[in-house]
Structure formats: C-alpha cells, structure tokens
C-alpha cells in the first residue's frame, strides 16, 4: 500500500488520475495527518478543513465526468504566509497583521497552482516579513524541525519545509530572498529550488525592490516534484514586467534525458565560511558521485568579492533588506509600531540610518558579485557547494555573533545567488552524526533551471530521499 503521508506529488496525482485514490480520500488523510503531526512542529498557521473537503468533492466530480482537472489535480498544498491565497488570511508572519480578513484574491503563483488542480488548504508559518533564518513570531509561535523538535527548520520558509518533511503535504509554496527556500530545505532534508530571477512571477508586489532579491518557489521531497511545480508556476505575467517568458520546455521531461559531460566547480568556503567536517564530507561524496557519472569535477578556491572584509558585505545587505521591509510596512509601522514583534521593530528602526552612500556601496558590491559569477561560469557549467555551513541550529535561532566569529553564518552560501539571480537547488545528501540532515547545493548558469534540476535528479538517484525517524509512520 502507498504511504500517503510520504508519497510524492507525482505519485499522488497519478493515483488520482487513475482513480485509485479520490481527492476526498486524500484530503481526509491530509487533514487527519495535520491534526496529529503538526502538534509537534507547529508549521500550519491557518487551515480551512471544511472548505478543503468541499473543494475536494467538487474536483472529484469533475474527474468522474472525465474533465481534464490539471497536472496537480486533487493535490493538497500549503501556502507560505507571506503570499496571498483567496479565502485565507495573510498575517505575513507577524502579530501586527494577525486577525486580518481573508485575502480576496490569490497571488499569481497561487492562482497558477489552483488552475492546475491543486487544492489550497492552509498557510505555513514564517518569521515577520521573512526576516530570519529560523521561524518564530509572536502571532503563531515557533516552528520546529521534524528531525529534532529542539532544532529549527530554518527560515524564512521554515513552516513549508517542516510541513513537507513531516509528511503533512507533498508540496508547499516557499520563497527565497537570501536562502529562505534552500536553507530550510537543507535543514529538513527536502528539496528546495531557488529558480532564476523572474522565473515565477511576483505580483502584485508591494515593493519593486523585492524581485531583485527574492524568488517565489516550491518546497517538495523530490526533484521530480520540484520540476512539476516549476512547470506549472513558470512563465511571464504582465503584472510582473520583470518576469521571464515561458521556458519553452517541460522541466519534468528534461530530467530523464541523458546529460552531457559537464564542467563542475566545487567551492568549499567562498573565502568566508568554515563549514563543519560533516558538511565537507557530504560535499566530497556528492563530488565523487558526479565524477563517477562522467563529469569533469574540479576544486575551485574562488572567494567572494569582499571576503577580506567579512562580514561587512553581509551586514550591509541585511540593512538594505531591512530598509526595504520598513518601506513596505511604513504606514502601519508609523502608526502602530508596538504591534510588531519588539526585535523586528528594532530591526526596522535601525535601518533608518541607511544613507545614499550605503546604497551606492551595496549596488556596487552587487555589480562585483555579478562579475565574479560570470567569471566562474566561463570556466564551469555548474557549481557544487554546501547549502549551509552547519546542520540545524536551535529552534530559537542561531547565535549570530558566534556564527560570525566561527564563520558559520547561515546564509554564507546562499545569499550571493539571490544577488546574482542564478538558479540554485538544495538536495539532501545524507545524515550527520547528530542525526540531522545534510545537503549540497547546485548552481547553474543564468536561466538554466533545467540543468540544475537535471543534475540534482541524477544525484538524487544515488543519494536517495529522507524521512525523519519520528514521523515515518503514516499516521
């Protein structure tokens, strides 16, 4: 019998198409699973069971009539609470927006998933406006890692990663502005793709600067499901003038095509990180697998621009993003500052010191990062590196001062590719001695999401997929 909790989205939708599983049966199982398992991890912050069952029954009738219900027909999904889903509130991860009325419309991303037959059942937890690498807020509390509830699932898509890893749903929406999809995916042992900048349309956006940093994404347990999500979500939308045209291919179909021999550069530290030994062992194992698959795999010691001044470029980046968040909520923050989490309000206040000279320095640094990446992709077709320098940190968040001192800053390997816009995917790569997941990250040239996914799929065949021990039972 199929374990519905840990079946892939691809498997579940195939069962539904063959009428071996009804949308109502899957929905009842999903809601029951959430009621039991989410008590431990606290990943779901809004849920509409009655509406979900009603939509599942209606879809079931369409399937019985022989209608084409779409590639995601009957699949329950959860939406990150930074994104609108019609009929569900959007608290944006903060008590300041808790209790808002339900959204009147879907985001473009969510609308495309619904049009493909997905059933949106609820929202997942996130830190305030996505501003942390762990997931907690004063509205909904702390989300915990399914592998060890004392640890974090990461952030800001920690609720999405925890829900997928614990078998609540096979697919959830996420977003990545500095590693916010890849970091939780790595810490929870699932797959997280940050697609090319503009691949999935934003819109409508509150702040035009966000698409220059953040990408909408999906969270899944397999690379094939990740490609399935991207097939549905990708393509230009007029509400987002920076969105890319439809790719003209199926990402799922490319997974099964033979790969040419590729030039792969292995970067261990970027000149700024001191990854833990188990992280490097996982990286070396993945490099050996790629070498065994016929690729030309070479070590590369290229350091990030500004590495000699670590962590100043990261700190400047965080100040710029905090200022963007301040502008995003300025009216509310001005009139009711005390409704925001105190630490988050302090972060927004501190961003007011940003000067024109700071902004000029930031964008100049971004230009240097673009050239650094361009030089690398002159030499390589693909980059391989860790996703994070450690396994999961405490649920209450990392000790940032210690992380800087020890050179294990959580976003060391991820934020740069938000700045350059390259597609990057994190995949599980084993279990560390502490029992937590390990991961590696693959980065492809601009707009080569297909190549990143295809190589990730080839690695996944050897590395396998993972389930947290305490959540392996179907119920």
């Amino acid at each position: 019998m199929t374990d519905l909790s840990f079946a892939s989205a691809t498997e579940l939708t195939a069962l539904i198409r063959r009428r071996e599983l009804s949308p109502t049966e899957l929905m009842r199982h999903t809601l029951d699973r959430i009621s039991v398992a989410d008590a431990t991890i606290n990943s779901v912050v809004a849920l509409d069971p009655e509406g979900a069952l009603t939509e599942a029954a209606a879809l079931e009738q369409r399937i019985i009539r022989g209608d084409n219900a779409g590639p995601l027909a009957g699949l329950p999904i959860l939406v990150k609470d930074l994104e609108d889903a019609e009929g569900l509130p959007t608290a944006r991860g903060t008590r300041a927006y808790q209790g808002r009325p339900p959204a009147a419309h879907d985001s473009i991303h969510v609308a495309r998933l619904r049009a493909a037959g997905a059933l949106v059942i609820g929202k997942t937890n996130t830190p305030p406006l996505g501003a942390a690498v762990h997931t907690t807020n004063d509205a909904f509390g702390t989300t915990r890692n399914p592998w060890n509830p004392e640890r974090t699932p990461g952030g800001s898509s920690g609720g999405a990663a925890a829900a997928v890893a614990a078998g609540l749903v096979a697919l959830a929406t996420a977003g990545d502005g500095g590693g916010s999809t890849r970091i939780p995916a790595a810490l929870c042992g699932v797959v997280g793709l940050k697609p090319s900048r503009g691949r999935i349309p934003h819109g409508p956006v509150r702040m035009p600067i966000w698409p220059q940093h953040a990408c909408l994404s999906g969270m899944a347990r397999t690379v094939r499901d990740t490609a399935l999500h991207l097939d549905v979500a990708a393509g230009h939308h007029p509400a987002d003038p920076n969105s890319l045209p439809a790719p003209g291919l199926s990402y799922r179909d490319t997974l099964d095509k033979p790969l040419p021999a590729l030039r792969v550069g292995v970067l261990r530290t970027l000149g700024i990180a001191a990854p833990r030994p188990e992280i490097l062992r996982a990286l070396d194992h993945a490099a050996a697998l790629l070498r065994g698959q016929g690729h030309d795999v070479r070590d590369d010691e290229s350091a990030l621009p500004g590495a000699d001044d670590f962590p100043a470029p990261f700190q400047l980046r965080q100040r710029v993003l905090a200022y963007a968040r301040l502008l995003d909520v300025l009216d509310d923050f001005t009139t009711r500052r005390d409704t925001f989490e105190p630490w988050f309000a302090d972060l927004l206040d501190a961003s007011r010191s940003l000067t024109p000279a700071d902004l000029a320095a930031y964008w100049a640094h971004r230009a240097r990062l673009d050239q650094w990446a361009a030089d690398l992709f002159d030499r390589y077709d693909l980059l391989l590196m860790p996703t994070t320098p450690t396994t999961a940190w405490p649920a209450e968040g990392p000790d940032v001062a210690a992380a800087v001192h020890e050179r294990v800053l959580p976003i060391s390997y991820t934020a740069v590719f938000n700045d350059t816009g390259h597609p990057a995917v994190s995949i599980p790569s084993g279990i560390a001695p502490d029992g937590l997941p390990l991961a590696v990250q693959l980065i492809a040239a601009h707009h080569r999401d297909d190549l990143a996914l295809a190589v990730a799929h080839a690695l996944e065949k050897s590395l396998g997929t993972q389930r947290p021990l305490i959540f392996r039972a179907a119920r």
Side-chain angles (χ1 to χ4, degrees):
M1 293 179 63
T2 300
D3 182 347
L4 297 182
S5 297
F6 287 96
S8 69
T10 300
E11 292 168 335
L12 292 172
T13 52
L15 288 171
I16 289 171
R17 281 194 301 274
R18 295 196 300 265
R19 301 191 190 181
E20 296 173 21
L21 174 69
S22 77
T24 301
E25 289 170 332
L26 178 57
M27 186 60 71
R28 291 189 185 280
H29 172 88
T30 299
L31 294 172
D32 184 56
R33 176 73 175 173
I34 291 172
S35 71
V36 173
D38 201 49
T40 302
I41 58 174
N42 188 38
S43 65
V44 180
V45 299
L47 193 66
D48 180 14
E50 184 177 340
L53 287 167
T54 299
E55 287 191 25
L59 184 68
E60 191 169 324
Q61 292 304 308
R62 289 180 58 197
I63 292 171
I64 290 171
R65 290 197 304 268
D67 295 349
N68 180 1
L72 299 180
L75 186 71
I77 67 168
L78 292 164
V79 172
K80 183 178 177 179
D81 196 32
L82 297 184
E83 198 168 1
D84 287 344
E86 182 181 350
L88 293 166
T90 305
R92 304 185 74 190
T94 173
R95 68 183 186 185
Y97 296 130
Q98 190 177 16
R100 276 181 161 184
H105 305 284
D106 289 330
S107 69
I108 294 168
H109 182 200
V110 172
R112 287 182 173 179
L113 298 176
R114 280 201 211 262
L119 302 175
V120 177
I121 62 172
K123 305 294 283 291
T124 58
N125 206 16
T126 185
L129 272 69
V133 291
H134 63 295
T135 296
T136 190
N137 55 57
D138 291 349
F140 307 113
T142 300
T143 300
R144 299 179 179 276
N145 193 311
W147 291 81
N148 180 346
E150 297 302 313
R151 300 287 176 163
T152 183
S156 63
S157 305
V164 171
L168 308 190
V169 291
L171 181 67
T173 75
D176 195 313
S180 286
T181 297
R182 289 161 291 157
I183 290 171
L187 302 192
C188 291
V190 297
V191 179
L193 168 72
K194 182 201 78 65
S196 293
R197 182 187 297 146
R199 180 65 71 201
I200 299 174
H202 289 260
V205 294
R206 297 174 176 88
M207 282 299 299
I209 193 174
W210 284 117
Q212 295 298 315
H213 298 87
C215 296
L216 296 171
S217 61
M219 197 76 72
R221 281 190 292 273
T222 70
V223 175
R224 191 173 295 279
D225 284 358
T226 304
L228 170 63
H229 166 266
L230 196 59
D231 276 345
V232 169
H236 179 75
H237 192 284
D240 181 356
N242 296 310
S243 57
L244 297 174
L249 54 81
S250 164
Y251 293 107
R252 281 175 298 165
D253 290 348
T254 63
L255 299 183
D256 299 315
K257 295 180 179 177
L259 284 165
L262 300 169
R263 302 166 299 161
V264 181
V266 181
L267 290 89
R268 287 178 167 75
T269 72
L270 297 182
I272 60 167
R276 302 295 192 224
E278 60 271 22
I279 300 291
L280 290 176
R281 286 194 293 270
L283 182 70
D284 289 338
H285 180 53
L289 290 173
L290 290 175
R291 197 173 284 113
Q293 293 172 6
H295 303 300
D296 179 10
V297 181
R298 301 182 183 184
D299 290 344
D300 193 297
E301 299 301 323
S302 296
L304 287 175
D308 292 341
D309 196 25
F310 174 86
F314 285 92
Q315 292 169 336
L316 178 59
R317 184 184 195 276
Q318 296 306 94
R319 289 176 63 207
V320 170
L321 293 188
Y323 189 66
R325 289 183 173 96
L326 173 64
L327 297 179
D328 195 355
V329 299
L330 187 59
D331 290 344
D332 294 322
F333 190 70
T334 301
T335 57
R336 48 193 190 92
R337 181 192 190 280
D338 61 349
T339 63
F340 290 87
E341 286 73 2
W343 69 267
F344 183 59
D346 290 344
L347 178 73
L348 297 183
D349 264 339
S351 74
R352 295 178 189 270
S353 66
L354 201 71
T355 67
D358 292 331
L359 289 170
Y362 171 69
W363 289 107
H365 178 67
R366 285 275 297 257
R368 289 191 292 272
L369 291 178
D370 286 338
Q371 186 58 57
W372 172 82
D375 291 344
L376 277 173
F377 282 105
D378 275 343
R379 302 196 297 274
Y380 305 112
D381 303 301
L382 200 73
L383 306 178
L384 172 70
M385 63 186 70
T387 309
T388 58
T390 69
T391 54
W393 36 93
E396 296 73 23
D399 182 333
V400 176
V404 170
H405 177 71
E406 297 172 17
R407 292 190 170 241
V408 289
L409 202 64
I411 63 172
S412 295
Y413 296 102
T414 53
V416 55
F417 300 108
N418 291 89
D419 293 341
T420 65
H422 291 82
V425 59
S426 178
I427 62 168
S429 60
I431 306 297
D434 61 7
L436 294 169
L438 297 163
V440 295
Q441 181 182 203
L442 294 163
I443 302 93
H446 281 302
H447 306 158
R448 291 303 311 272
D449 308 66
D450 60 316
L451 184 62
L453 288 169
V455 177
H457 179 62
L459 266 182
E460 183 183 65
K461 290 178 180 178
S462 298
L463 293 168
T465 57
Q466 302 171 348
R467 295 187 192 182
L469 181 62
I470 62 173
F471 283 101
R472 287 181 186 174
R475 294 289 301 275

